[in-house]
Every structure is written in C-alpha cells, then in structure tokens.
Amino acid sequence: IYQVRIIDRSSGKQAGLGSGFLINTEGFLVTNYHVVSEFTNHPDRFNVEYLRTDGEKGSLTLLDLDVVNDLALLKLDQSPGYFIELANTLPSHGELIYSIGNPHDLGWTVIPGTYNGITAHSVYERIHFSGSVNPGMSGGPVLNQAGQVIGVNVATAGNQLSFLVPLNRLNNFINQASTRTTELASIDTVIAAQLRANQREIIGGL
C-alpha cells in the first residue's frame, strides 16, 4: 500500500495526496481518478509520485483511467514483486471489513467497519461502508477478513457513512486497462468518450 502524491513541478511542493495499492508483481497500482485528476488536467504543471511506508519515493506513470467509477491505474518505476490479492466475491452483509489509507497525511491507518451491501437508489454502484473514510484515504484498499481487496475507498458522507468502489467495477476496469494504453495527450478525449457512453447508458435505462 502506497501514498500517492501530486507534486508541483515549479515549487516541488505537494499539491494533493491519496492512497493506492499494488495489484500485480509488475508494479501496477490502483487509486481513485480524483486523486490524480490535478495531474491529468495539467500534466505540464504536476508530477505524480509514490511514497512507501519506509520513506522511499519514486515516480508513477498513468496507464488508464475510469472517470465514471473514479478509478485510475498507474505503474511504479520499479517492479517490487509483491501485491495485494483481489477477492473472488463480496463479503456477507454485516461482515467486518477494513479500510486502509493515510488520512490527512497523519500516517497509515486501518479503519474497521461493516459491509452493508450496495447502496440503494444510486446511479453508480457503491458499497455502503460503516466506517470513516477521511481525506488522504481515497484510493486505498478495503480488505475482507482474509486480507483480500473487496473495494476501493472513494467518498464519505461523515458520521461513519462512507462509500467504496465495489469489486466488480474494479475487476472490469483492470481487465479493460490491460488491453489498452492511455496517452496523456488524449486524456480529454478518453474522458469525454467515457462520459458520453455513461450518459447514453443512463438515458437508455430511463
């Protein structure tokens, strides 16, 4: 599990931060799109880098993004040889799960909470998590009791009411990302296409 930082090129100061986690031995890292959106909007002004728990830093390369489900795939400048396994299924309703991230840059934190299924009456699939997901934890993994990823931290409404990108959306994104490469110069085109496709799906459903 890594901290993801957006760095201003001119000043070297931190302009944004979140969390992320490795999904394979090649150094592929998942986080939220909104964590790296400052970089994708202004790649000439910002760099994106990781910070390991031992203090080691390095650069990250954007591979793909899913703006609708708020996911991004990046690659470390090295292959560390370890990763977190994805679960095969979601937990049972009421099961204890664990959100991991670096809230407010205070240090790595594990937040236990309850899996409450997929939120009802929501346009986008989200897991309802009874636990505190705070700024800086976005993009971090949420684990089942076997230590496998079942979702990704994405948002909070406060008072132990938080939301996660579910496992199926994460799997779909990873599978699609493995078959294509997103160039920085084409990001606006990619985002526009994703938003139009999502709009067509919603209107079609209505």
Side-chain angles (χ1 to χ4, degrees), residues 25-75:
T25 57
E26 298 172 43
F28 285 32
L29 179 141
V30 167
T31 187
N32 287 145
Y33 165 70
H34 76 255
V35 169
V36 297
S37 61
E38 197 74 31
F39 166 71
T40 59
N41 290 337
H42 306 285
D44 55 325
R45 290 176 49 195
F46 299 99
N47 289 325
V48 57
E49 67 176 34
Y50 65 82
L51 176 66
R52 259 182 16 181
T53 54
D54 61 2
E56 181 180 329
K57 298 178 182 179
S59 62
L60 287 165
T61 302
L62 179 69
L63 298 181
D64 205 353
L65 56 87
D66 179 347
V67 68
V68 173
N69 291 295
D70 204 348
L71 295 170
L73 183 67
L74 302 102
K75 189 177 188 303

Side-chain angles (χ1 to χ4, degrees), residues 68 123 169 195-206:
V68 173
V123 175
R169 296 295 181 182
L195 292 175
R196 281 195 295 268
N198 180 66
Q199 178 177 283
R200 286 194 296 270
E201 183 177 344
I202 292 173
I203 297 301
L206 293 174

Side-chain angles (χ1 to χ4, degrees), residues 28 61-65 73 75 175-187 190:
F28 285 32
T61 302
L62 179 69
L63 298 181
D64 205 353
L65 56 87
L73 183 67
K75 189 177 188 303
N175 291 337
Q176 291 173 1
S178 65
T179 64
R180 66 189 184 200
T181 300
T182 298
E183 300 293 338
L184 281 176
S186 65
I187 281 181
V190 170

